[in-house]
Amino acid sequence: MSKRGKFITIEGVEGSGKTTQATLLSDYLRKEGIDVVETREPGGTEIGERIREVLLSPAHAGLVSPAELFLFLAARAQQVSEIILPALGAGKWVVCDRFCDATMAYQGYGRGLDINIIRSVNELATGGLVPDITILLDLDVEIGIRRAVSAKREFANHASGDRMEKEGPEFHRSVRKGYFELASREPDRIRVIPVSGSVEEVHRTVVSLIKPFLVKRA
Ligand code: TMP
């Protein structure tokens, strides 16, 4: 039987470069001979990608916070069962762009829903699966939102930002504060990287944090 793979998640405020870093890290791990599944939340499965469209469409401005929470969790439950657990069980490593910490930060600290309830429902959606390591990319929220919206404009996709990006800076500041709070509670798992240098510099820092897992595997 193959050894269980590692589960790595990448988190951060809007425009922090998670997706770029997830891809760079996955490519790096593949060069190290690791079988990697790269995925994202919400999404990753056919059902999850449809839920993503509902969640991010600016047309759904009226979505109430508990409904938003349950939709993120529905996408997560599907993804854990269909993609993440089978991959880890087969010895593959999984790099996931956002996971449970995003729900704590956005729906808990951002929307103000009860943190303990979110912790419980996250557990229900994941069966208690916790990442081996979480990389938290940190950036000033105003800079991040500007970056995220202008990146999307290039692809004419939600040209003025998706439903979450359209929230005001106050919301995103609460999310960032939430992420810090989570990192201070679990400093061994959640490792904060300030996004001040170039993409390559951030990537090198990410790799330095992942290296201990590679050494243990050898
Ligand atoms: P992103 O994948 O482009 O970061 O978009 C996902 C958006 O959804 C982003 O604004 C963060 C938000 N989100 C939540 O609010 N809660 C969650 O549980 C997850 C996974 C994402």
Side-chain angles (χ1 to χ4, degrees):
M1 222 180 75
S2 50
K3 206 170 148 206
R4 183 188 177 277
K6 295 291 170 208
F7 181 33
I8 301 166
T9 59
I10 307 204
E11 298 276 0
V13 291
E14 313 295 322
S16 56
K18 298 171 289 91
T19 311
T20 304
Q21 292 300 331
T23 302
L24 287 173
L25 175 62
S26 301
D27 290 346
Y28 169 84
L29 293 172
R30 286 186 191 109
K31 284 196 195 110
E32 291 291 313
I34 293 170
D35 204 345
V36 182
V37 172
E38 189 185 343
T39 187
R40 67 172 179 180
E41 285 220 344
T45 63
E46 198 185 325
I47 293 169
E49 290 295 331
R50 291 181 75 174
I51 295 174
R52 182 183 178 94
E53 283 170 28
V54 173
L55 276 163
L56 299 187
S57 168
H60 299 155
L63 190 65
V64 295
S65 298
E68 177 183 279
L69 170 68
F70 290 128
L71 285 169
F72 278 115
L73 291 164
R76 179 160 309 135
Q78 196 65 32
Q79 157 111 291
V80 167
S81 157
E82 216 179 287
I83 311 264
I84 302 178
L85 288 180
L88 295 175
K92 296 176 188 173
W93 288 32
V94 176
V95 175
C96 193
D97 184 343
R98 296 197 189 278
F99 196 59
C100 289
D101 298 305
T103 319
M104 295 285 281
Y106 280 80
Q107 280 63 54
Y109 292 88
R111 300 284 189 224
L113 295 179
D114 188 301
I115 294 291
N116 290 320
I117 292 178
I118 296 181
R119 202 173 277 117
S120 302
V121 286
N122 254 336
E123 218 174 299
L124 179 68
T126 62
L129 176 69
V130 177
D132 293 289
I133 182 167
T134 296
I135 305 290
L136 173 56
L137 300 177
D138 181 56
L139 176 73
D140 173 84
V141 299
E142 265 100 355
I143 299 174
I145 289 285
R146 268 201 302 279
R147 272 200 204 172
V149 173
S150 72
K152 282 191 180 149
R153 202 165 286 140
E154 278 173 38
F155 299 103
N157 175 10
H158 299 158
S160 60
D162 66 34
R163 194 179 59 85
M164 303 301 286
E165 288 159 355
K166 280 174 173 293
E167 290 293 337
E170 222 26 74
F171 172 81
H172 291 287
R173 271 194 282 274
S174 303
V175 170
R176 185 185 187 197
K177 208 169 136 232
Y179 270 130
F180 276 137
E181 180 84 30
L182 297 171
S184 72
R185 279 195 218 152
E186 287 185 78
D188 290 341
R189 174 175 70 84
I190 306 180
R191 311 297 296 271
V192 184
I193 303 181
V195 182
S196 45
S198 65
V199 168
E200 289 71 28
E201 278 163 341
V202 174
H203 172 58
R204 277 198 291 277
T205 313
V206 172
V207 167
S208 71
L209 294 174
I210 301 299
K211 275 249 165 83
F213 292 101
L214 290 167
V215 173
K216 272 188 221 148
R217 165 184 162 268

